Amino acid sequence: MSEIICREMTLSDLNEVYSIECSCFTQPWSMESLVRELTENDFAYYTAAECDEKVIGYAGMWVVPGEAHMTNIAVTEDYRCRGAATDMILYLMREALNRGANCMTLEVREHNHRAQRVYNALGFRYAGTRRRYYSDTGENALILWNEDIASTLKKSEENKQG
């Protein structure tokens, strides 16, 4: 299998990213929303995951003083369960740390157990529930926090070496 590479997302990635967004979500963000995130939102940062020069996933966050909020993450079906999501989250954590954040939060669908396992392995812990958060299904969102992203990054590096 070819290597998955994470890098900063650019405007030239948006057609592929929008295609991924539409294939992964019942209520995808609009192309206009994605453009605004990259061009107008000073708090936003996005990464693209690439394999064989093709965008296979993307993730985004907002960084405010002291903390980061992961806003979205998606991986094409063909590349799920191959580490792309983990790689992108670790990439965002490094960028968040560089921007002064020491913790990260996100919301995940209550029944998305596969994603919850990924987040749990990366040090995210349950902190609350947003009732009926997802308007397409009325499903609850679990609020997860990683209170020490520097520690998660250190453990990840240690696991690579050992």
Side-chain angles (χ1 to χ4, degrees), residues 73-104:
I73 185 166
V75 176
T76 60
E77 192 169 348
D78 293 347
Y79 285 88
R80 291 182 190 153
C81 301
R82 295 187 185 185
T86 297
D87 290 350
M88 287 189 293
I89 295 166
L90 290 169
Y91 185 93
L92 288 180
M93 285 181 170
R94 282 189 289 278
E95 186 62 31
L97 202 59
N98 289 339
R99 292 171 179 241
N102 53 18
C103 57
M104 182 178 276

Side-chain angles (χ1 to χ4, degrees), residues 2 17 35 49 51 63 67 75 81 83 112 116 128-129 133 137 142 144 154-155:
S2 298
V17 165
V35 168
C51 189
V63 182
E67 66 186 53
V75 176
C81 301
N112 189 345
Q116 289 173 39
T129 300
Y133 183 77
T137 63
L142 304 182
L144 306 181
K154 182 178 178 189
K155 287 177 190 170

Side-chain angles (χ1 to χ4, degrees), residues 10 15 23 38 47 55 61 66 72 107 109 121 152 156:
T10 66
N15 286 332
S23 71
L38 289 183
T47 182
V55 176
M61 68 179 171
N72 41 16
E107 291 91 9
R109 287 180 186 266
T152 298
S156 172

Side-chain angles (χ1 to χ4, degrees), residues 43 62-69 99-101:
F43 300 106
W62 295 341
V63 182
V64 296
E67 66 186 53
H69 181 133
R99 292 171 179 241

Side-chain angles (χ1 to χ4, degrees), residues 2-162:
S2 298
E3 183 181 10
I4 295 171
I5 298 166
C6 294
R7 59 169 175 74
E8 184 173 3
M9 193 169 92
T10 66
L11 287 171
S12 64
D13 297 320
L14 283 184
N15 286 332
E16 288 175 287
V17 165
Y18 184 66
S19 177
I20 293 167
E21 176 77 8
C22 291
S23 71
C24 291
F25 301 110
T26 58
Q27 291 185 310
W29 283 21
S30 68
M31 178 64 91
E32 294 77 22
S33 294
L34 293 168
V35 168
R36 278 195 309 272
E37 283 293 286
L38 289 183
T39 61
E40 297 175 21
N41 186 345
D42 294 336
F43 300 106
Y45 183 87
Y46 283 77
T47 182
E50 229 178 37
C51 189
D52 295 325
E53 299 181 19
K54 179 183 178 205
V55 176
I56 55 99
Y58 80 99
M61 68 179 171
W62 295 341
V63 182
V64 296
E67 66 186 53
H69 181 133
M70 198 165 79
T71 55
N72 41 16
I73 185 166
V75 176
T76 60
E77 192 169 348
D78 293 347
Y79 285 88
R80 291 182 190 153
C81 301
R82 295 187 185 185
T86 297
D87 290 350
M88 287 189 293
I89 295 166
L90 290 169
Y91 185 93
L92 288 180
M93 285 181 170
R94 282 189 289 278
E95 186 62 31
L97 202 59
N98 289 339
R99 292 171 179 241
N102 53 18
C103 57
M104 182 178 276
T105 187
L106 57 87
E107 291 91 9
V108 61
R109 287 180 186 266
E110 186 174 45
H111 296 104
N112 189 345
H113 301 294
R114 182 185 291 173
Q116 289 173 39
R117 283 190 295 276
V118 171
Y119 299 141
N120 185 266
L122 292 171
F124 286 90
R125 300 295 177 253
Y126 174 79
T129 300
R130 296 192 197 284
R131 301 277 175 218
R132 301 186 54 78
Y133 183 77
Y134 295 99
S135 60
D136 60 334
T137 63
E139 188 174 358
N140 296 335
L142 304 182
I143 304 165
L144 306 181
W145 277 92
N146 178 317
E147 297 288 348
D148 187 357
I149 58 178
S151 176
T152 298
L153 290 167
K154 182 178 178 189
K155 287 177 190 170
S156 172
E157 287 302 313
E158 290 169 355
N159 288 340
K160 279 184 188 177
Q161 295 171 3

